[in-house]
Amino acid sequence: MTAELVRGQNHTLPQTRLEIRVSAGTPVVAGATLGDERGTVHGIEWIAHPGSPQLPGLEVSRQAAADHRLAVDLDAMPAAVHRVTVLLALPMEAGGPVRFGAVAAPFVAVTGLEGTEIATFTLTGLDAESAVAALELYRRQGDWKVRAVGQGYAGGLAAMLADQGVTGAAELARSIHEAVARGLARSVAPPPPRTPEGDRVRHTAAIGDPAQPVSPPAGPAPSRPTAATDSTAGGPTAGASTGPINYAHPRRQATAPPPPPPTAPPAEPGRPAQPVAGDATGWSMEERLYNQVWGMFEDLARTTAAYRSAVDFAESRMDQELDRALSDPRNRIGGAGDRAREEARAKRGQLTDRAREALDRDLAQLAAESAVVEPALPAAFAGWDNPVWHAYRVPMEIPMALRIGDLHLPENPDLRIPLLVRLPLERGIWVDSGRTASEAAALTDTDRLRRLAMDNAVAHAARLLAVYPAGEFSVHVIDPAGSAAAALAPLVNSGVLAGPPASGAGGVASVLAHLTRRVDLVQMAIRAGAADSLPPELDTAEQLLIVNDFPHGFDDRAVTQLRYLADEGPSVGVHLLMVADREDASAYGPVLDPLWRSLLRITPVADDHLADPWVGHAWTYEPLRTPPGSRVLEQVLAQVATARRTGRRP
């Protein structure tokens, strides 16, 4: 029977191999400290955290996530360890929550390896605290117990570590948050919860009339209630809002979206329901499909986590049975030891087979759902091979999101989840043209990697141009050495660029100065509440800057301006799309670390560098490619160019 603990209550642990499961509803940092009889932590080697996740008998998550599973083997703890304290902290990311009082109460469960709950604790009553000692496992007279602690610290992780006697707590806390920031830079985060009131801000409208409440364009009401944190969300062009953007539906405040319509007949008893496209909540089909894709993403992450946990349990159980069998001297004579090994391995096989059967069942259901969802996706959510692009027309309003690739896991590489980032972009994109550790990169020569990276960037720019209304998106290019002329040909030849690609140091300086001035002017106008005083020649469209071969052609001033655009640009509609090999910029050292972390890193070939926000799997990212011989890219850009010239959809 599960013990539901309250603060200060304890419970005896019936076993020593455990999992500590954390569910927080928002990404948190999970770690643990080892303490002696007095609870003192004797140095950083007694602390498990994302930057150093493994200690004897203990393993924690390598990144911040909404859900964690910490593996604990109390028998493997050093004899000097008498206390294991589980720590939770909010990551120090820009725009994230800064106190636990602003998020749902974290829930912690101590379970056996098979998932049976032993004790649970909900950390209620937190307010200004940004770090908390959730619970502790402690040794008392040879037995291990769990105690619910719930001690919060308004001073954050540094104050909590200092309270446990850690020398250099502030420096260690800083290094932990840096490790977390590196992990968050590779994490794809889910849509945040809806807000119950308020309108979505359209920045372009606000520039023209700062006093005028922003209203949706004529026609069907837009539906934009959700967003993705690591991907992209936010407001277009020149940010008119001084606070966070509200994604509530503008005409249905304080109400929940309707459930999906009953488009499929009820399933027969004992058989799974037939999947249908749009089987999620939302005000429009676009929103329902968006939420359905995210639901598939989460389902695949969690069902794979359950499978991997079951396999780990089967392996651990086999090891325990072998240890017990071989510790008996009688089993070392004759064939008893061999029989014990065979029995243990057979049990392991049965457990893993059952786990795989459950996984295959879930994968089959998700594959069936994907098969009906993919053909129903609108152009912005669809791959280049989807027939929807052949019926493309320049839209009247921006979509909720844009597909920039696919994600899959090794358990079923054929089941691919669209990677959707919210529009307008809140974060720039970095197409890594360097040689990564992936097998695909190892089989591709350096020059081809760079060409593929630039092709990938051009395709993303084309998709962004295609999903915005005519005249609401402008693209600039910096190509210092002119090495990307061939890749840029579709953009140049169609006439959709704001100007010719800039080359040489002078061209780099000119484009950066133009966009930096735009950011400065819009920010000043917003702060002064005088958006109508902007110069009439200012282009109020969203701006995308493609940078090839960084840092070639960049002096120190240009690098500083680029960092400024990466930090300040997205809030006022200026976005970066960089094609770069980080090794080329190694001479700058840690100065550029914030730049790299601020961008969503993708690759021109398959690479398993992205992580989900629920359980932290490493997902393989696959870039989108146009079908061989297809001219869909050129045809789409031709329509965009025509609409820009005529000021209307063709």
Side-chain angles (χ1 to χ4, degrees), residues 34 81 95 127 150 182 199 233 262 267 277 284 310 362 388 396 425 444 524 551 561 573 607 641 648:
L34 307 182
V81 173
D127 186 14
R182 290 192 295 270
D199 293 349
S284 66
D362 291 341
V388 71
M396 294 296 291
L425 298 172
T444 308
M524 287 189 293
Q561 289 176 314
D607 189 88
R648 58 182 176 80

Side-chain angles (χ1 to χ4, degrees), residues 93-453:
E93 58 173 327
V98 296
R99 58 188 186 91
F100 274 108
V103 300
F107 174 81
V108 184
V110 181
T111 76
L113 295 182
E114 74 286 359
T116 303
E117 290 186 347
I118 299 169
T120 63
F121 175 41
T122 302
L123 284 78
T124 57
L126 298 175
D127 186 14
E129 299 89 346
S130 59
V132 60
L135 55 77
E136 63 182 17
L137 313 179
Y138 64 98
R139 199 195 312 249
R140 181 66 55 84
Q141 297 177 347
D143 293 328
W144 284 92
K145 297 184 177 182
V146 57
R147 177 187 292 120
V149 180
Q151 175 63 54
Y153 295 83
L157 194 55
M160 180 165 55
L161 294 173
D163 191 43
Q164 297 189 34
V166 178
T167 303
E171 291 77 9
L172 177 59
R174 189 179 306 112
S175 69
I176 292 173
H177 282 303
E178 287 175 355
V180 171
R182 290 192 295 270
L184 286 172
R186 58 185 285 271
S187 177
V188 179
R194 290 181 181 84
T195 51
E197 69 278 325
D199 293 349
R200 183 177 184 211
V201 175
R202 285 296 302 270
H203 292 185
T204 48
I207 288 177
D209 185 358
Q212 178 70 27
V214 180
S215 59
S223 48
R224 306 283 190 268
T226 53
T229 54
D230 176 38
S231 35
T232 46
T237 317
S241 170
T242 58
I245 302 221
N246 191 326
Y247 291 98
H249 193 284
R251 297 184 184 173
R252 297 180 176 86
Q253 294 91 342
T255 60
T263 54
E268 297 179 13
R271 299 184 62 181
Q274 293 298 312
V276 294
D279 187 17
T281 60
W283 292 110
S284 66
M285 187 60 172
E286 178 195 35
E287 185 182 351
R288 292 198 295 271
L289 287 167
Y290 174 80
N291 290 333
Q292 187 173 14
V293 168
W294 273 102
M296 292 164 58
F297 187 11
E298 182 175 1
D299 287 349
L300 182 54
R302 294 192 184 279
T303 194
T304 304
Y307 167 72
R308 292 179 181 179
S309 179
V311 171
D312 289 343
F313 168 70
E315 295 287 346
S316 176
R317 178 173 174 174
M318 182 185 71
D319 292 341
Q320 287 179 304
E321 291 178 351
L322 289 175
D323 289 344
R324 285 197 299 267
L326 298 179
S327 64
D328 187 345
R330 292 172 298 180
N331 289 335
R332 301 175 189 171
I333 303 172
D338 292 337
R339 287 194 298 273
R341 290 188 186 91
E342 291 175 1
E343 291 174 0
R345 288 168 181 155
K347 290 180 182 177
R348 186 268 310 270
Q350 292 172 358
L351 289 173
T352 55
D353 288 346
R354 287 204 297 269
R356 185 72 210 194
E357 181 181 350
L359 175 67
D360 288 342
R361 183 175 61 249
D362 291 341
L363 292 179
Q365 184 70 8
L366 283 168
E369 186 173 11
S370 177
V372 298
V373 168
E374 278 285 355
L377 294 176
F381 298 2
W384 287 115
D385 57 350
N386 192 309
V388 71
W389 282 105
H390 296 293
Y392 167 77
R393 292 293 182 270
V394 176
M396 294 296 291
E397 64 173 12
I398 66 171
M400 292 184 65
L402 183 75
R403 185 173 184 166
I404 63 169
D406 293 329
L407 299 172
H408 63 82
L409 290 171
E411 280 76 6
N412 189 343
D414 293 332
L415 178 54
R416 303 193 174 190
I417 304 296
L419 175 54
L420 302 179
V421 296
R422 276 300 300 259
L423 293 179
L425 298 172
E426 277 188 348
R427 186 181 185 188
I429 297 174
W430 164 31
V431 184
D432 189 351
S433 60
R435 186 168 298 283
T436 63
S438 72
E439 180 181 356
L443 297 174
T444 308
D445 64 66
T446 301
D447 290 340
R448 178 162 173 74
L449 274 176
R450 292 179 183 273
R451 172 61 191 266
L452 288 174

Side-chain angles (χ1 to χ4, degrees), residues 458-551:
V458 168
H460 290 312
R463 290 175 74 88
L464 283 163
L465 284 163
V467 300
Y468 270 79
E472 290 193 19
F473 199 85
S474 296
V475 178
H476 309 261
V477 176
I478 289 178
D479 184 22
S483 59
L488 290 167
L491 298 177
V492 174
N493 295 340
S494 61
V496 295
L497 293 179
S503 60
V508 171
S510 175
V511 172
L512 291 176
H514 169 73
L515 293 176
T516 300
R517 176 177 177 271
R518 183 190 186 283
V519 171
D520 289 340
L521 288 173
V522 175
Q523 284 187 335
M524 287 189 293
I526 292 170
R527 284 194 294 266
D532 54 350
S533 65
L534 287 168
E537 71 276 7
L538 185 79
D539 182 6
T540 59
E542 294 275 301
Q543 309 288 312
L544 178 72
L545 173 59
I546 303 176
V547 179
N548 182 44
D549 258 357
F550 176 81

